[in-house]
Amino acid sequence: MRRDTQRREAIRNTILEAQRPLTISEIFELTRQKIEGIGIATVYRSLKTLQEDGVIVPVNFSGQPVRWEGADKCHHHHFLCLSCNKLYEIPSCPEGLARILPEGFDLEDHDLLLRGRCNACAGK
Amino acid sequence: MRRDTQRREAIRNTILEAQRPLTISEIFELTRQKIEGIGIATVYRSLKTLQEDGVIVPVNFSGQPVRWEGADKCHHHHFLCLSCNKLYEIPSCPEGLARILPEGFDLEDHDLLLRGRCNACAGK
DNA sequence: GTCGTTGCAAAGCGTTTGCAGCCTA
DNA sequence: TAGGCTGCAAACGCTTTGCAACGAC
């Protein structure tokens, strides 16, 4: 049985209201602005239960610390602009990925990160 | 000035001879079969210098420990088995990725991780 | 009142580093 | 012989956990 607590609610809102995926220390700092005495252990425990409850999902980029974003987004990918370093959400998804797998492999899921120049930077 | 040592050479061979990217503990265990007294610190230090020398590259994926593979490989992708947690190399590459990008975006590069069951685990 | 939640501090765990001895060139 | 390399153990930083107090229901 899960209880609705002030702290977990604050952490949840911090993540869902952010415009981008947040690292654990960002979540900790931002939530501490709302609830001063909150401990880092509570952040870790809340991230775990929020993920279990399907409220948030982890986002990983190569060599970067884990970040968290709301799970309410549709399946999407990311595009990193190599010029301005901005991260875009790409709502589309390539088809036929299973075709590149060796015989006998079952595909369940995938992560895709595209890199290049966004429209603003490509035009320059 | 870099010296050619037995230990770094053994670590280098362990990685280059593997059929898939290896985690640090895999590299440590496999190399220890060749050189019994080798220490984990030597593995970490050798990975660093081998990367600096462009011999190996790190492979980072969602929630997974860093793995290492030879830097001499052609463009390829990876498949993570959700049962046995092994990371496989996929030599093929999906086509038409640029099609999912918004208008005006230039695609230069991409990372793709597929997840599912490998042929050994899917058969069970 | 029950028992899930929390802050604190300690424990874990993977990685890095200081050091003295070893080994390559 | 110089100085890069190594094993050991201690240090480090991030994450998890034990525990007693707190608070949601």
Side-chain angles (χ1 to χ4, degrees):
Chain A
M1 179 216 317
R2 197 137 289 166
R3 291 177 183 167
D4 289 340
T5 67
Q6 214 183 51
R7 275 124 222 266
R8 186 155 52 219
E9 189 63 11
I11 290 166
R12 179 179 166 279
N13 289 338
T14 296
I15 297 169
L16 297 187
E17 290 164 4
Q19 298 303 302
R20 59 193 172 80
L22 301 178
T23 63
I24 286 157
S25 58
E26 286 173 330
I27 294 166
F28 182 46
E29 291 307 324
L30 287 169
T31 308
R32 196 156 58 169
Q33 291 173 14
K34 307 176 200 167
I35 299 177
E36 206 171 321
I38 197 167
I40 188 69
T42 300
V43 174
Y44 280 102
R45 284 186 280 229
S46 295
L47 291 175
K48 196 178 171 205
T49 59
L50 288 170
Q51 180 182 23
E52 284 169 7
D53 295 347
V55 177
I56 61 173
V57 292
V59 179
N60 286 270
F61 294 112
S62 195
Q64 297 277 309
V66 189
R67 290 164 209 267
W68 296 86
E69 68 178 7
D72 56 340
K73 297 174 180 295
C74 298
H75 177 79
H76 63 278
H77 296 297
H78 293 102
F79 178 94
L80 180 68
C81 178
L82 298 171
S83 278
C84 65
N85 214 41
K86 212 170 160 187
L87 189 75
Y88 293 83
E89 241 175 58
I90 305 293
S92 314
C93 182
E95 288 172 18
L97 287 179
R99 279 201 298 271
I100 71 172
L101 286 180
E103 191 70 27
F105 279 58
D106 283 347
L107 182 61
E108 284 190 19
D109 193 15
H110 62 274
D111 276 348
L112 177 63
L113 175 66
L114 304 173
R115 284 186 295 261
R117 314 276 157 189
C118 69
N119 54 354
C121 294
K124 285 172 190 167
Chain B
M1 181 216 318
R2 198 137 289 166
R3 290 178 183 168
D4 288 340
T5 67
Q6 216 184 48
R7 274 123 223 267
R8 185 156 52 219
E9 189 62 12
I11 289 166
R12 180 178 167 280
N13 289 338
T14 296
I15 297 168
L16 297 186
E17 289 163 6
Q19 297 304 301
R20 58 191 175 79
L22 301 177
T23 63
I24 285 156
S25 58
E26 286 173 329
I27 294 166
F28 182 46
E29 291 306 325
L30 288 169
T31 308
R32 195 154 60 168
Q33 291 171 15
K34 307 175 200 167
I35 299 178
E36 206 171 322
I38 197 168
I40 188 67
T42 301
V43 175
Y44 280 102
R45 284 186 279 229
S46 295
L47 291 175
K48 196 177 171 209
T49 59
L50 287 170
Q51 180 182 23
E52 284 170 5
D53 294 347
V55 177
I56 61 174
V57 291
V59 179
N60 282 276
F61 279 121
S62 199
Q64 294 288 310
V66 187
R67 290 175 164 90
W68 296 87
E69 68 181 8
D72 57 343
K73 296 178 179 297
C74 299
H75 177 79
H76 63 279
H77 296 299
H78 295 102
F79 178 94
L80 178 69
C81 178
L82 298 171
S83 279
C84 66
N85 214 42
K86 276 184 185 166
L87 191 72
Y88 293 84
E89 222 177 80
I90 306 294
S92 314
C93 181
E95 289 171 16
L97 286 179
R99 279 201 299 271
I100 70 172
L101 287 180
E103 189 69 27
F105 278 58
D106 282 348
L107 183 60
E108 283 191 19
D109 192 15
H110 61 274
D111 277 347
L112 175 64
L113 175 67
L114 304 173
R115 283 187 297 260
R117 316 273 158 191
C118 69
N119 54 354
C121 293
K124 284 172 190 166

